[in-house]
Amino acid sequence: MNILFYVAAAIAIVSSIAAITRSHAIHAILFLVVSFVSISLVFYTLGAPFIAALEVITYAGAIMVLFMFAIMLLNLGAHAVQRERQWQPRIVWAGSGLLSLILLAQLAWTFSFGKAQTGSLPVAPSQVGAALFGTYLLGVELASMLLLAGLAGAYYLGKRSGEPEHPKGGADGNGPA
Amino acid sequence: MAVDTESGRAMNQTLVMAGTIAGVLAGVLVAASLLIWGERRLLAVWQDRSGPNRVGPLGLGQVAADVVKILTKEDWIPPFADKPIFVLAPMIIMTTTLLSFAVICFGPSAVVADLNVGLLFFLAMSAMGVYSVVLAGWASNSKYPLLGAMRAAGQMFGYEVFMGLSLMGVVMCAGSFNLREIVLAQRHLWFCVPQVLGLVIFLIAGFAETRRLPLDLPETENELVAGYHTEYSGMKFGMFYVGEYVGVVLVSSLITVLFFGGWLGPWLPGVVWFCIKTLVFVCFFVLCRATLMRPRYDQLMSFGWKVLLPLSLANLLVTAAVVLVRGGQ
C-alpha cells in the first residue's frame, strides 16, 4: 500500500507540473486529468475509497469533460499555443515558487511534528453520508446555496442578449425551441 | 510449518485471483468478438434475410475473417492529426470498459475486486470512457470527427447524470454500493419490480453511453460519415469497434446484476444463470438496433434533461420515502 501511495503521489506531482507548463490547452487538461486520477489513488490508499470514486466521477470525469468541451468549442489553433508561450515569462515562476515553498515547509513541519494519519481503517460510504448529513449538515446546505447561486448566474449569462425577459403576449410562435 | 501453509494459502489465493482475472478477460473478449457475428445474424433474422452464413459452420468463421482483416489493414495516422492523443484515444475506451468488469460479480465468489464502492467504480470508469470518444474526434483534426466528438461530449456527459441517479434507487433498496450485496438483497424480489423506473432510465442511458443505434448520434453514418472515428483504420478502429461490443456486454451484465438478481436462480449454477440473463439483454440491444429509429440531436438532449432528469429525481425521492417509512435497511 505504501509503495502504491508514493508512486501515485509522484505521478500526481509530475502531471500537475506538466499541466501548468504545457502551452497546448488540451494537453494541459489531459495532464490535469491524470493528476486527478492519481490523487484519487492517494485517497484510496489513505483509506477513503468513497472519496476516491467521487474524485474520479466529478473532477476527472464531469468537470474536466466540460472544460474540454469548452476548449474544443473555442477551436484554439497554433497561434494560441504561441500566445500562451509569451504569457509565461520567467518572473511569473518566482511568486508561485515562493508560495509553493511555504506550503512545502508547512507540510514538512506537519509530517515531522504533527499527527498525520496514514493507512488508517477504510471509511465506508455510509459513514461519509452520516457525517455529511449529520455533523456537517450546515456546510452541505451552505454549499447547496452556493451552487444554486452559480446555477442562477449561469442561467442569466446563458440567456440570449437582446431578448426581452418576458415575451409579450402568448403568441410567441417562433421562439427558441 | 505454519509459515509454509500461510505462504501456501497466499500463493493459492494469488493463483485463484489470476485465474479469475484471466477467465473474466477471456470470457468478455470472446463474447464481444462473437457479437460481431451474433449481431449481424440476429439483425438478419429480424430483417428477414440470412446474414453472414458462408464462412465456416453457421458463418461463425466470419469472426476470424473480420479479425484477420482488421489486423492486416494498413494502420494509417493522418498527417494532420495530433499523433499521441490519436493513438491514446482507442486505448482509453478498451481500458475503461474492461476495468469496469473487475467489480461485476458473475457468481457468489466469482468477482475480481469485491470493492465496497463497486457501483461508483463503474460510474467512474464510464466517466473516463467519455474521454476516448471526445479525444478521438478532437485529435483527428477534421470536421466530421470534431462534430461527432462535440455530440458525444454533450450526450455522454448528460446521460451519465441520469445513469448515476437512476442507480441510486437500487443502492437505497440494497443499502450498499457493493454489487455482491446488491445481488444478495434481491433474494426475495428482483429490483426490476420496485425499481422499474430506474431500470427504464438506466436502459436508455446505457444506450446513450455505449453509443448504440437508436442513440448513436456521435457516429451517425448518414450525416457525419462515421463521426468520431472517421479517420481511424486498422486495429485502432478495431478497438473502437470491439470496445462498443464490450460496452454492450458490460451494460447488459450490469442490468442483470442490478435489476434481475445476478446469479440468483433455481437448479442451474449461478454463473450459467448470469450468462443466460446477460445474453437476453445483449439480444435486446440488437433488437433495438434492428427496429428503432434515431432521434434528432436536440430531441435527444431535451428528452434527457426535461424528461429523464425529473423522472430519475422523482424515482429517487419516492424510493427514499418508501425505504424510510419501512424503517430503512
Side-chain angles (χ1 to χ4, degrees), chain A residues 24 26-27 30 33 37 44 49-50 53-54 56-57 59-66 68-69 72-73 123-125 177, chain B residues 82 84-85 88 115-117 120-121 123-125 127-128 130-131 134-135 138 146 149-151 153-154 157 160 177 306:
Chain A
H24 196 302
I26 297 264
H27 293 177
L30 282 182
V33 171
V37 173
Y44 185 81
F50 184 66
L54 285 192
V56 177
I57 293 174
Y59 287 92
I63 294 178
M64 290 332 273
V65 167
L66 281 184
M68 194 170 276
F69 189 66
M72 277 166 59
L73 275 177
V123 182
Chain B
D82 189 319
I85 297 184
L88 183 73
L115 275 182
N116 66 347
V117 289
L120 290 177
F121 181 80
L123 288 174
M125 283 302 113
M128 298 310 288
V130 180
Y131 283 110
V134 173
L135 287 176
W138 178 82
L146 188 67
M150 297 299 234
R151 285 184 176 186
F157 175 74
E160 219 172 74
F177 284 114
K306 290 177 188 166

Side-chain angles (χ1 to χ4, degrees), chain B residues 78-92:
Chain B
F80 44 81
D82 189 319
K83 282 196 185 68
I85 297 184
F86 190 83
V87 176
L88 183 73
M91 294 183 201
I92 296 177

Side-chain angles (χ1 to χ4, degrees), chain B residues 26-42:
Chain B
V28 166
L29 286 176
V30 165
S33 51
L34 274 180
L35 257 177
I36 297 176
W37 165 83
E39 173 170 48
R40 284 157 74 183
R41 284 307 295 255
L42 277 176

Side-chain angles (χ1 to χ4, degrees), chain B residues 250-313:
Chain B
L250 175 67
V251 173
S252 305
S253 36
L254 267 171
I255 294 173
T256 305
V257 167
L258 297 172
F259 296 99
F260 288 88
W263 71 79
L264 300 174
W267 309 307
L268 295 170
V271 181
V272 177
W273 268 116
F274 181 91
C275 292
I276 292 173
K277 291 173 185 174
T278 306
L279 185 67
V280 170
F281 294 113
V282 169
C283 293
F284 179 74
F285 263 82
V286 179
L287 178 63
C288 284
R289 176 175 181 173
T291 47
L292 292 180
M293 62 207 158
R294 186 188 286 145
R296 267 194 343 254
Y297 188 67
D298 61 311
Q299 289 173 332
L300 175 77
M301 292 312 282
S302 57
F303 177 71
W305 289 106
K306 290 177 188 166
V307 179
L308 287 186
L309 181 65
L311 269 184
S312 52
L313 285 175

Side-chain angles (χ1 to χ4, degrees), chain B residues 22-102:
Chain B
V24 168
L25 269 184
V28 166
L29 286 176
V30 165
S33 51
L34 274 180
L35 257 177
I36 297 176
W37 165 83
E39 173 170 48
R40 284 157 74 183
R41 284 307 295 255
L42 277 176
L43 281 178
V45 167
W46 282 314
Q47 293 170 349
D48 213 7
R49 29 184 199 97
S50 310
N53 60 354
R54 296 303 168 95
V55 195
L58 294 172
L60 261 171
Q62 189 68 42
V63 176
D66 275 355
V67 168
V68 168
K69 188 194 85 175
I70 285 177
L71 281 175
T72 52
K73 234 178 158 181
E74 186 189 355
D75 194 358
W76 187 67
I77 298 178
F80 44 81
D82 189 319
K83 282 196 185 68
I85 297 184
F86 190 83
V87 176
L88 183 73
M91 294 183 201
I92 296 177
I93 191 87
M94 280 304 268
T95 315
T96 54
T97 38
L98 283 179
L99 269 178
S100 301
F101 277 99

Side-chain angles (χ1 to χ4, degrees), chain A:
Chain A
M1 260 337 202
N2 253 337
I3 299 171
L4 202 62
F5 171 82
Y6 285 117
V7 171
I11 295 175
I13 292 172
V14 171
S15 55
S16 301
I17 292 174
I20 300 168
T21 52
R22 293 297 95 183
S23 43
H24 196 302
I26 297 264
H27 293 177
I29 279 195
L30 282 182
F31 276 114
L32 197 55
V33 171
V34 172
S35 157
F36 279 135
V37 173
S38 43
I39 292 218
S40 130
L41 207 57
V42 168
F43 279 136
Y44 185 81
T45 53
L46 291 179
F50 184 66
I51 305 299
L54 285 192
E55 173 90 14
V56 177
I57 293 174
T58 49
Y59 287 92
I63 294 178
M64 290 332 273
V65 167
L66 281 184
F67 266 61
M68 194 170 276
F69 189 66
I71 287 175
M72 277 166 59
L73 275 177
L74 294 176
N75 193 18
L76 304 170
H79 66 280
V81 177
Q82 275 302 321
R83 194 182 50 196
E84 192 80 17
R85 287 214 179 102
Q86 287 165 5
W87 281 349
Q88 290 184 347
R90 295 278 157 76
I91 194 75
V92 171
W93 299 107
S96 52
L98 186 69
L99 290 177
S100 309
L101 264 182
I102 296 172
L103 266 181
L104 188 66
Q106 218 173 4
L107 204 66
W109 189 84
T110 318
F111 276 146
S112 42
F113 301 111
K115 281 183 223 160
Q117 281 190 335
T118 51
S120 46
L121 283 174
V123 182
S126 51
Q127 284 170 278
V128 180
L132 274 181
F133 291 97
T135 325
Y136 302 107
L137 182 63
L138 189 65
V140 173
E141 288 302 320
L142 284 177
S144 75
M145 297 259 284
L146 199 64
L147 287 176
L148 186 64
L151 197 67
Y155 176 74
Y156 178 73
L157 290 175
K159 201 160 58 79
R160 292 183 192 185
S161 54
E163 195 179 299
E165 205 160 337
H166 302 290
K168 284 165 199 149
D172 190 13
N174 51 2

Side-chain angles (χ1 to χ4, degrees), chain B residues 71-296:
Chain B
L71 281 175
T72 52
K73 234 178 158 181
E74 186 189 355
D75 194 358
W76 187 67
I77 298 178
F80 44 81
D82 189 319
K83 282 196 185 68
I85 297 184
F86 190 83
V87 176
L88 183 73
M91 294 183 201
I92 296 177
I93 191 87
M94 280 304 268
T95 315
T96 54
T97 38
L98 283 179
L99 269 178
S100 301
F101 277 99
V103 293
I104 287 184
C105 42
F106 299 89
S109 60
V111 55
V112 175
D114 201 11
L115 275 182
N116 66 347
V117 289
L119 197 54
L120 290 177
F121 181 80
F122 157 72
L123 288 174
M125 283 302 113
S126 86
M128 298 310 288
V130 180
Y131 283 110
S132 171
V133 178
V134 173
L135 287 176
W138 178 82
S140 297
N141 201 9
S142 65
K143 57 190 166 207
Y144 293 121
L146 188 67
L147 285 171
M150 297 299 234
R151 285 184 176 186
Q155 166 180 335
M156 293 174 79
F157 175 74
Y159 277 75
E160 219 172 74
V161 176
F162 324 133
M163 184 183 247
L165 281 177
S166 68
L167 293 184
M168 289 311 124
V170 170
V171 172
M172 273 193 249
C173 290
S176 171
F177 284 114
N178 185 317
L179 292 181
R180 196 167 48 82
E181 284 170 27
I182 289 178
V183 171
L184 288 177
Q186 301 179 61
R187 264 170 306 194
H188 305 298
L189 181 64
W190 290 354
F191 284 150
C192 59
V193 179
Q195 285 296 317
V196 63
L197 199 57
L199 170 63
V200 172
I201 297 170
F202 180 73
L203 202 61
I204 298 174
F207 273 98
E209 283 294 307
T210 50
R211 308 169 302 284
R212 289 286 302 177
L213 194 75
L215 308 179
D216 69 337
L217 291 135
E219 46 186 293
T220 45
E221 69 275 3
N222 50 356
E223 5 178 328
L224 296 182
V225 190
Y228 62 91
H229 56 51
T230 304
E231 305 288 350
Y232 281 85
S233 57
M235 199 48 217
K236 292 199 193 64
F237 169 74
M239 275 165 113
F240 281 118
Y241 190 52
V242 177
E244 187 179 310
Y245 288 124
V246 176
V248 169
V249 177
L250 175 67
V251 173
S252 305
S253 36
L254 267 171
I255 294 173
T256 305
V257 167
L258 297 172
F259 296 99
F260 288 88
W263 71 79
L264 300 174
W267 309 307
L268 295 170
V271 181
V272 177
W273 268 116
F274 181 91
C275 292
I276 292 173
K277 291 173 185 174
T278 306
L279 185 67
V280 170
F281 294 113
V282 169
C283 293
F284 179 74
F285 263 82
V286 179
L287 178 63
C288 284
R289 176 175 181 173
T291 47
L292 292 180
M293 62 207 158
R294 186 188 286 145
R296 267 194 343 254

